[in-house]
Amino acid sequence: MPALTNKPPLTIRLCQPRGFCAGVDRAIQIVVLALKKYGAPVYVRHEIVHNRYVVEGLQDLGAVFIEELSEIPPEHRSSPVVFSAHGVPKSVPADAEARNLFYLDATCPLVSKVHKQALRHQRRGRHVVLIGHAGHPEVIGTMGQLPEGAVTLIETEDDVARFAPADPQALGFVTQTTLSVEDTAGIIEALQQRFPAMEAPAAESICYATTNRQDAVKEAAVGTDLFLIVGAPNSSNSRRLVEVAERAGARLSLLVQRAADIPWSEIGTIRALGLSAGASAPEIIVNEIIEAFKDRFDVTLDLAVTATETEDFPVMRVLRDVELTAADMAFVNG
Ligand code: 0CH
Ligand code: SF4
């Protein structure tokens, strides 16, 4: 049979699982449901998840994104304010109460679980070691569960070498939920070597979605000429997927927010492309990217399935009486 196309052949290894996790799904639902129940504006403290497409879509529906509660104008103090999926320090709900604001906390339950683990360490008299990235909102939120000085942030194995706790016998660690599984294992090992008495959290802090997306990328990356991760530059979990792809053997790995970001002139000749999306990246952008490749290549899609996810986190009771239409659901599901 003669070839029906003169486009070069390309296999796209599409990772599964990819994209929205249960915590992101829940957080976006909370904003959509709040808009339906209370009307616009609904204030959202920080990007609900780190994705411009999601943020702009919610802005179109009437959400107003702020960084601090003080930005809510006095005439809108009765509008709800949603806290993002990344979690907030304890001072934020306290501040909301002091300002008489009605807040809805969209912190992922798995981030809240890490908060509880940190508090548990402290209750048992341990100084808390938090493994994570300085300045990230989740790290600010987790550190802010405890009084100043009760938590030490460790970012690298070098930080472990420099760490000089007052009582090396009384330490407990937790981590950010979206870290590299491999790098974190190295840091934990270094900590355990220096501080054998250090207690682990009762449950793994890196979440199921982070772990599953990294596993899928690791498996799909071997032998790929290029690996694209759909995600934003401020998305920790998405950036970790780019690193995982490169380490697992992709010749080049890039983070892209939209199909328009694909640097076609740099790509050159490719036969195998890996594709995945961070936990905050909507599926519609994955499809947009596949279509962009179909315009230039004769594409064969090859699904790289490594796990099936069934997690589903319900929204808070106050929003459960609001019905979502099919159009709302399409938005929520990306
Ligand atoms: O990966 P990070 O934490 O930067 O956040 P994201 O990209 O908004 O993804 C959702 C995870 C939210 C909290 O774990
Ligand atoms: Fe929750 Fe994990 Fe998703 Fe973060 S990445 S929102 S911790 S499920």
Side-chain angles (χ1 to χ4, degrees):
M1 266 274 279
L4 296 173
T5 168
N6 52 9
K7 294 176 192 171
L10 177 71
T11 300
I12 299 184
R13 284 190 211 153
L14 183 59
C15 292
Q16 195 171 307
R18 65 177 177 279
F20 281 9
C21 58
V24 164
D25 221 70
R26 174 178 180 270
I28 296 171
Q29 266 191 60
I30 289 171
V31 182
V32 172
L33 292 169
L35 281 160
K36 293 200 95 160
K37 180 157 180 167
Y38 305 107
V42 164
Y43 287 88
V44 185
R45 187 187 175 279
H46 191 69
E47 290 188 337
I48 187 73
V49 297
H50 292 146
N51 189 275
R52 286 312 302 162
Y53 184 91
V54 171
V55 166
E56 284 165 12
L58 292 172
Q59 277 170 334
D60 290 346
L61 297 177
V64 177
F65 289 83
I66 54 171
E67 283 304 315
E68 294 305 335
L69 301 180
S70 56
E71 293 168 46
I72 301 175
E75 65 274 23
H76 284 148
R77 291 257 163 92
S78 57
S79 300
V81 55
V82 179
F83 303 151
S84 81
H86 317 92
V88 288
K90 274 203 161 142
S91 57
V92 171
D95 185 23
E97 271 155 35
R99 290 170 189 272
N100 233 343
L101 297 172
F102 167 48
Y103 66 85
L104 295 162
D105 189 352
T107 302
C108 175
L110 300 183
V111 173
S112 301
K113 204 161 137 187
V114 174
H115 293 177
K116 287 188 194 112
Q117 290 291 327
L119 287 159
R120 187 166 165 267
H121 282 315
Q122 194 214 21
R123 266 201 317 274
R124 299 188 175 187
R126 300 169 194 148
H127 179 81
V128 176
V129 174
L130 168 62
I131 305 169
H133 300 294
H136 188 281
E138 185 182 323
V139 163
I140 294 169
T142 302
M143 292 190 84
Q145 298 306 304
L146 297 175
E148 219 169 307
V151 185
T152 298
L153 179 66
I154 295 284
E155 293 189 84
T156 60
E157 289 187 34
D158 286 347
D159 288 348
V160 176
R162 281 191 291 265
F163 180 39
D167 183 358
Q169 299 303 316
L171 296 173
F173 79 89
V174 290
T175 84
Q176 198 177 329
T177 57
T178 52
L179 300 180
S180 151
V181 172
E182 203 176 296
D183 291 348
T184 308
I187 294 174
I188 293 172
E189 206 181 301
L191 278 164
Q192 281 167 339
Q193 260 172 24
R194 277 204 66 203
F195 312 108
M198 184 184 67
E199 295 283 344
E204 174 67 70
S205 303
I206 296 180
C207 77
Y208 81 94
T210 298
T211 308
N212 288 348
R213 277 151 194 69
Q214 289 180 17
D215 283 348
V217 167
K218 211 167 171 178
E219 189 165 308
V222 184
T224 51
D225 304 301
L226 174 67
F227 214 108
L228 294 183
I229 303 294
V230 185
N234 59 343
S235 168
S236 166
N237 80 86
S238 307
R239 286 173 54 188
R240 302 295 81 80
L241 294 179
V242 176
E243 295 164 1
V244 168
E246 220 148 61
R247 280 190 206 163
R251 193 153 52 85
L252 174 68
S253 174
L254 298 170
L255 188 69
V256 286
Q257 303 201 63
R258 299 294 300 256
D261 297 339
I262 303 169
W264 298 107
S265 57
E266 286 171 38
I267 288 176
T269 309
I270 56 169
R271 305 283 298 216
L273 169 78
L275 183 59
S276 187
S280 46
E283 185 64 7
I284 196 165
I285 304 178
V286 173
N287 290 330
E288 178 185 276
I289 286 169
I290 294 173
E291 288 310 312
F293 276 93
K294 280 186 176 168
D295 287 344
R296 294 165 174 81
F297 294 89
D298 181 19
V299 167
T300 305
L301 265 184
D302 177 11
L303 214 53
V305 187
T306 49
T308 305
E309 293 181 342
T310 53
E311 286 75 3
D312 184 23
F313 302 147
V315 300
M316 55 282 285
R317 199 157 290 136
V318 71
L319 295 176
R320 286 189 204 153
D321 60 343
V322 189
E323 297 225 352
L324 288 180
T325 62
D328 297 329
M329 282 314 286
F331 182 80
V332 167
N333 295 329

